[in-house]
Amino acid sequence: MRLKIRIGLVLCLLLSSSHAWAQDVTMNFKNADIRAFIEFVSSFSGKNFLVDNRVKGSVTIVSPTPISEDEAYDVFLSVLEVNGFATVKSGSVIKIVPRAEGKQKAVNVRESGQAPNTDEVMTQVLRLKYADAQQLVALLRPLISPNSHLVAYPRGNMLLLTDSASNIRRIQKVLKLVDRQDAVGVQMFPLEHASADKLAKTLSGLYAKAGPGSPTSIKALSHQPGNILIVVAAPQMINEVAAIVKKLDIKPKPDSGRLQVRYLKHANAIDVAKVLNELVGGGASKAAPAGKALFTGDIKIVADPATNALLITADPSDMNAMNGIIDKLDVRRLQVLVEALIVEVSTGVGEQFGVEWKSANNLGGSNATTFGGTSFSNTSGVSINSVAQNPLATGSGLAVGIAKGTLSFGGTSILNLGALARALSTQTDANILSTPNILTMDNEEAEIIVGKNVPFITGSSSTQGGVTNPFQTVERKDVGITLKVKPQISEGNAVRLEIYQEISSVDGGTAAEGGLITSKRSIKTVVLANDGGMVVLGGLIRDDNSVSVQRVPCLGSIPVLGEAFKFTENKQAKTNLMVFLRPHIIKDENDIRSITNKKYNSMKGLYEQPIQGGTILFPHNAREMPKNFSPSENLRLEESFPVESETQTPQ
């Protein structure tokens, strides 16, 4: 009884331990060192590895789900095979060496049976029944890697193959088709013009009705690179297949429909060629499902900008598909007319009032004289002292003074101005309305600039190398109205607009002040507007008030009497700026004709409007728009620009 209990405990421990060993492994590595990856495999597999010093590299494995340890070890063998290394078992140690040397090591040898579906390096003995081993070496050598080894043993009619187990498994499948009593005819056809892949499909489809055991059945395979066609068939069928291959492997004629020139009506040839080359090139194989290629042959597209044409080289079947794609791309694109409305209203109010006085007599005498007075600064730069020097430079507004003779001081005579009262009230109103319009294609950026190119002095010099050589460096900038817009039409007649609007002007300044002063108001935004709907982009509402009072201490604070001892200046400025925008989608010729006629008639009315005034000597003549340049007239070239007929004079 005790012995049975002990045996049961041992079995339970073995089952539990084996269950603990069989764990799932998650393999996620990104640019990991291959030696660290080998240590990871050794940790969960319990295998001992002897790593060659030449084993170097990085490993990237993406495994979203856990896999078993056996499957993980198969992945490990595949990683070594991809990086050019192989495993060779030597007792309790597994050597990891370069794959080129793996065939010279003591690898596993199998005499019979199907090779496992792994990347382990092994030697397989392939015994043949009907086919000749030496003839099959030339057939099978292109199907193995350069680091593998294949040799025939004629006395035993055997093949010795050292390669990865997965590739040996593939060779065994080929031998099942070749090593048959009724199908021992094998021939290779190096092709010059035709594609081996296409020709193999053609032959397979041609003899598809024949059964597997039929003497008229064939098996066509293609080998790339090399463009080699391999045909396995009965000996009586080889000559027939060879004749078919010879007729199909011909050089295509230059004018066989592979070259076509396609002139585009609306689209740009360079842009269309770029899109088609992306479809035919790198993007086609990735986008197409497995086994469903978009095109069957090689295609080349070249754009000719001079004629806006595409030069296409393709097979007739691919040419039809390419023409269908071009028809959908070469369509009349929609246009967008963008109307902008810029309204700026500014007002300014200024008030000045002040009294200045002074008293001075006999400043040129030798006796002591008392003098004094008040003087206030203001924005106009006019004071009692400047008026005393020039009585006519009283500035703007009302100026009333009291003078008594002149004074002589330092050899200069000035007006003896005893008092000066100044009063000025100003008011300015400015209303600016700008309506820039611009027409552009859908998804195309357009720009319009209405303004001046103003020079700005950036530097100056009067001497150079001790020699007088005055010069100035000038930078020119555009000042005015700038409108940049890129429309994108979406479903529902909505227009997405990328807009940059700038309004700039010169507000004064001189070289002595450091250069010109410019004001700038800009908007950069992205809006969504409906067709014909107006939207507001932005604006500015500004109100500036300033009060300046200059007075004599104490005296200027006295009610009523203090007005004679102070100067008051008030300023008020208001600025209202608003920018509006309205897009119009141009769908066809009628839309563009209607809008063009409307704009033309509006400008024609302004241009031909009679000008008031004039005299008998200098009358104002009537103005008319050119009659041969009107949107309502569809004139031919000779009607728009008539050519005078030449007359010959008799000799």
Side-chain angles (χ1 to χ4, degrees), residues 348-354 377-380 396-398 422-428 545-550 567-573:
V349 178
E351 296 177 349
Q352 296 179 2
F353 180 78
S377 62
N378 53 80
T379 55
S380 61
S396 303
L398 176 63
R422 294 186 64 255
L424 174 64
S425 177
T426 61
Q427 182 174 357
T428 59
N545 295 317
S546 63
V547 178
S548 175
V549 179
Q550 304 177 60
F567 187 88
T568 304
E569 186 174 6
N570 299 331
K571 290 183 180 181
Q572 182 179 7

Side-chain angles (χ1 to χ4, degrees), residues 16 242 414 421 539 541 627:
S16 62
I414 61 175
I541 299 177
K627 294 182 179 180

Side-chain angles (χ1 to χ4, degrees), residues 300-314:
K300 188 174 182 181
I301 302 104
V302 179
D304 181 24
T307 59
N308 196 36
L310 296 176
L311 281 73
I312 307 172
T313 303

Side-chain angles (χ1 to χ4, degrees), residues 285-500:
S285 59
K286 298 179 182 178
K292 295 182 180 179
L294 294 178
F295 305 101
T296 59
D298 297 331
I299 301 177
K300 188 174 182 181
I301 302 104
V302 179
D304 181 24
T307 59
N308 196 36
L310 296 176
L311 281 73
I312 307 172
T313 303
D315 293 336
S317 59
D318 294 336
M319 190 70 72
N320 294 333
M322 190 64 61
N323 284 329
I325 297 174
I326 295 175
D327 290 338
K328 295 181 180 180
L329 295 177
D330 188 24
V331 295
R332 183 185 179 96
R333 294 170 58 185
L334 299 180
Q335 302 181 84
V336 179
L337 175 66
V338 180
E339 295 179 318
L341 178 63
I342 306 170
V343 183
E344 183 174 1
V345 179
S346 60
T347 60
V349 178
E351 296 177 349
Q352 296 179 2
F353 180 78
V355 178
E356 299 171 288
W357 59 271
K358 70 176 182 178
S359 175
N361 290 314
N362 299 324
L363 293 178
S366 59
N367 296 329
T369 303
T370 302
F371 68 93
T374 62
S375 179
F376 303 106
S377 62
N378 53 80
T379 55
S380 61
V382 178
S383 65
I384 190 172
N385 296 325
S386 61
V387 175
Q389 297 176 4
N390 185 7
L392 300 179
T394 58
S396 303
L398 176 63
V400 178
I402 301 175
K404 182 181 179 182
T406 59
L407 293 175
S408 178
F409 180 74
T412 303
S413 297
I414 61 175
L415 184 67
N416 186 10
L417 188 62
L420 177 66
R422 294 186 64 255
L424 174 64
S425 177
T426 61
Q427 182 174 357
T428 59
D429 293 322
N431 298 332
I432 302 175
L433 178 65
S434 302
T435 56
N437 302 329
I438 189 168
L439 178 66
T440 182
M441 301 281 288
D442 184 23
N443 277 327
E444 295 291 342
E445 183 178 353
E447 178 182 6
I448 182 173
I449 299 176
V450 181
K452 298 179 179 179
N453 192 257
V454 181
F456 292 85
I457 299 176
T458 58
S460 61
S461 177
S462 58
T463 59
Q464 185 177 7
V467 180
T468 302
N469 184 21
F471 70 91
Q472 291 179 336
T473 57
V474 177
E475 179 183 3
R476 292 185 172 271
K477 295 183 179 180
D478 294 330
V479 176
I481 297 176
T482 302
L483 175 62
K484 294 181 181 180
V485 60
K486 183 179 181 180
Q488 182 179 3
I489 302 174
S490 58
E491 296 294 334
N493 289 336
V495 184
R496 181 180 181 271
L497 299 165
E498 297 180 10
I499 303 166
Y500 176 75

Side-chain angles (χ1 to χ4, degrees), residues 26 66 87 159 211 479 490 569 648:
T26 300
T87 59
L159 295 173
V479 176
S490 58
E569 186 174 6
Q648 297 181 356

Side-chain angles (χ1 to χ4, degrees), residues 201-215:
K201 294 180 181 179
T202 302
L203 293 176
S204 299
L206 182 62
Y207 294 94
K209 294 183 179 181
S214 174

Side-chain angles (χ1 to χ4, degrees), residues 34-102:
I34 193 170
R35 291 177 175 267
F37 179 67
I38 295 173
E39 294 179 3
F40 170 77
V41 175
S42 177
S43 64
F44 74 79
S45 64
K47 299 180 184 296
N48 299 320
F49 295 103
L50 178 60
V51 184
D52 193 286
N53 292 331
R54 290 168 291 180
V55 177
K56 298 179 182 179
S58 59
V59 177
T60 299
I61 302 176
V62 178
S63 178
T65 58
I67 57 178
S68 65
E69 292 181 357
D70 294 337
E71 293 175 341
Y73 190 77
D74 293 339
V75 173
F76 167 67
L77 297 177
S78 300
V79 170
L80 294 180
E81 194 270 340
V82 170
N83 288 272
F85 306 110
T87 59
V88 179
K89 189 174 182 180
S90 178
S92 61
V93 177
I94 299 176
K95 300 178 182 179
I96 301 178
V97 297
R99 200 170 189 84
E101 299 179 7

